[in-house]
Every structure is written in structure tokens, then in C-alpha cells.
Amino acid sequence: MAHRITLIPGDGIGPEVVEAARRVVDATGVSVEWDRQEMGAGAFARTGHPLPPPTLASIRETGVALKGPVETPVTSGMRSVNLAMRRELDLFACVRPCRLYPGVPSVYDAVDLLVVRENLEDLYTGIEFEMGTAETQELIAFLEEITDRRIREDAGISVKTISDLGSERIVRFAFELAEAQGRSKVTAGHKANIMKFTDGLFLEVARAIAADHPSIAFEERIIDALCMQLIQAPERFDVLVLPNFYGDLVADVCAGLIGGLGVAPGGHVGETAAVFEATHGTAPPLAGTNRANPVGVMLSAAMMLRHLGELEPRDRLEAAVAAVLVEGDHVTGDLRAAGDDRPPASTIEVADAVIQRL
Ligand code: NAD
């Protein structure tokens, strides 16, 4: 029976790279019925909604989406259409595999990390107080009263929340993923020495869940030290589990270790739905040029096939992408090392080359 999958081309380079990935998925022979839906600035211009209800309804029904990057239109009144989608669908885990494929220019020899980021809490609650407003002054007065600490009147305030349940489900998810993928170690990143009741809670929960998984090693790192050690020796790490904000930063750092945004895949996973998309954004200067790298979305599609239980086609897709990368004749300009004067391939040519090698 065909898998029903929601397909969201998105904005900017989204339609080009998503189309390349869709062709590759179809060429694996997996039977897919794509349900094409809109989201982002283009959707807002056409329908008045950056996250149209039919798009959410489709993902709820199919349970799986392949998505391009989207832009949040300033006039939509929405802080972030991506955050809204993750909240609506309770996509609590962001998974970013960061593997360095042979042939991709990098200063490292071997990188194979799995970044697991909490997706709904932390500084991304969207609860903020603007400098100078009556509500902010009231909040400052209240905080001064209960803490006996001074807060400057010209301060803005953003609220950070980390919960017991939110920490438990992301850390448990990271350990279960580590087990399912035959990995050996989970490292939790935090700043519990400063933020005792948010990061401290996350760390306490992580330690407790680690004790339930004795076959997987557990270590903890203060986030600044973790960033330094990732740059120095990424091969020392395996699975990283992080609260939302640090996860956002560290996932892009790790994308930098493996050749940049053009090749970094990802997935947002919840109990009842999963949305797969590359790490990169809409790359406005590249939009419509047929020069964007589709590998990040193709590898996201490979993650989607694994999620759907299509393991053999997933392996073939990944091997075909890896073959194109190591040969190096059909890669986009962002993957050309200095001095390599072979002409860059177009987005469509990369897809053709991958399809030939499936
Ligand atoms: P970006 O990822 O779009 O671009 C950063 C840099 O990486 C640019 O130099 C770009 O040309 C390059 N790049 C990105 N993807 C590439 C690809 N596939 N091939 C080759 N080069 C690539 O980040 P940005 O410029 O900070 O953001 C642009 C827009 O995208 C913003 O509106 C932002 O909100 C949005 N965005 C959306 C998502 C998403 O929907 N998941 C994620 C990140 C950013």
C-alpha cells in the first residue's frame, strides 16, 4: 500500500530542493501518494494564512511530512510559522544527524554525531516582555519584591521554562534512538551551574534516565565546554541531547563540521506526527537559480524512509547520495573546495546523478 506523505515545498529555494528530493524518493521504488500543501510567506500571500488549516490537517492525517524551509511573513502576526507548526503537532524532538561524507570538504576526517534537541520549551516559549511597557514595569516590580534583586528599568525580559516532563521525554527519546541506531554514548549539554532550576532540572532528569539505560554510556558537559570540545575533537562525541536553545546553536555548529547547511538533514518528531526538513533556511539569494544544494533535503527524506520502516530503500538512497558526494562530479558550488575548478552541478543535475546511482 502506498504511503501517504504531506509535501510542503515552502519558500525561497524550498520548491527546488524539495522537488529534487521527491523525485529521488519516487525513484527508490517506494510507493508514495504525495499530498501537496502550502506553508510560509507564499501561503500567506495566497491564502492569508502562513500555516493554513488544511496543511495542519493533512499532516495530522498522514502523520508524516517532507517540508522545505519557510519564511515567516512579518505582517502575519506570527512570531515563527515553524514554531507554531511544532507546537500544534507537539513535535517535541528535533533530530539532526551530522555525518561527514567522504568527498565533502571539511577540516575534519571523521564526524558522525546525532544531535537531539528539545523542540518546544526553554527560551522559545514566546513569552516576552518589551522594554518600557506597563506590563514589563509591573513584572520587574514583582520580581524585585520576591527576589530582592534589582532589574534595570530599561530591560526587556524573555521567559525560559524547562519542565520535568519535557526533559524526561526528550532524554528518553535520545537514549531510545541511541539504542535503536547502535550508538554507544549520550552526552547532555547544559548550563546547570548558572541556571539551576531549568538546566539543573534537565540535568537531574538526564542523570535519572541514564541510569535506566546501562548499555549506553552517559556524560554531561557544560555547554560552553561542549562547544569547544566539539570543534577540537568531534570524534569524541556520539549522541548529544540538549535543551532547545543550546540545541539550536549546537546543531548549526555541527552542520559546519560536516560541510555546511547544504548537506545537513533533520526531522521534527512527536508521538503522532513527524516532519522532515533540512537544517537550512530559504536562502533568498539562491531562490529560483537551480543552484541550491538538495542533499540536505534528500538525507532528510532518507530519515523519513527509516521512520516509515522502508529500510532497504533508505539505505539505497543514502548510498546513492554518498556515491555522488565522493565522486564529486555532480555537486553544487557550496561543496567545491578551493582549487577544484570542476563546474558546479545544478540542483536538478544532482538529483539526476543520485537517481542514476540508486
Ligand atoms: P539560510 O539557511 O537560508 O542561509 C544561510 C547561508 O547558507 C546562505 O549563505 C545560503 O545561501 C546558504 N545556504 C542555505 N541553504 C543552502 C543550500 N541548500 N545550498 C547552498 N547554500 C545554502 O539562513 P538565513 O539566511 O539565516 O535565513 C533565510 C530565511 O530562512 C529566513 O527567513 C529564516 O527565517 C528562514 N529559515 C527557515 C528555516 C525553516 O523553515 N526550517 C530554517 C532556517 C531559516
Side-chain angles (χ1 to χ4, degrees), residues 246-301:
Y246 310 138
D248 195 4
L249 309 185
V250 167
D252 273 27
V253 167
C254 292
L257 306 178
I258 58 154
L261 287 173
V263 294
H268 304 281
V269 183
E271 305 284 353
T272 57
V275 175
F276 296 87
E277 65 174 333
T279 299
H280 63 73
T282 59
L286 285 178
T289 64
N290 192 22
R291 286 192 290 128
N293 191 343
V295 166
V297 194
M298 289 178 184
L299 293 174
S300 306

Side-chain angles (χ1 to χ4, degrees), residues 165-221:
L165 177 99
S167 303
E168 184 182 329
R169 68 176 177 169
I170 194 66
V171 178
R172 205 173 283 291
F173 179 91
F175 272 94
E176 285 169 6
L177 200 60
E179 280 168 352
Q181 298 197 6
R183 290 178 176 263
S184 57
K185 184 169 71 174
V186 172
T187 304
H190 66 88
K191 192 82 184 174
N193 49 329
I194 306 291
M195 279 162 278
K196 298 183 189 312
F197 302 134
T198 47
D199 289 21
L201 175 60
F202 178 84
L203 183 58
E204 201 181 298
V205 170
R207 286 174 181 158
I209 289 169
D212 294 340
H213 296 82
S215 64
I216 305 280
F218 174 68
E219 59 180 26
E220 39 191 75
R221 285 281 188 288

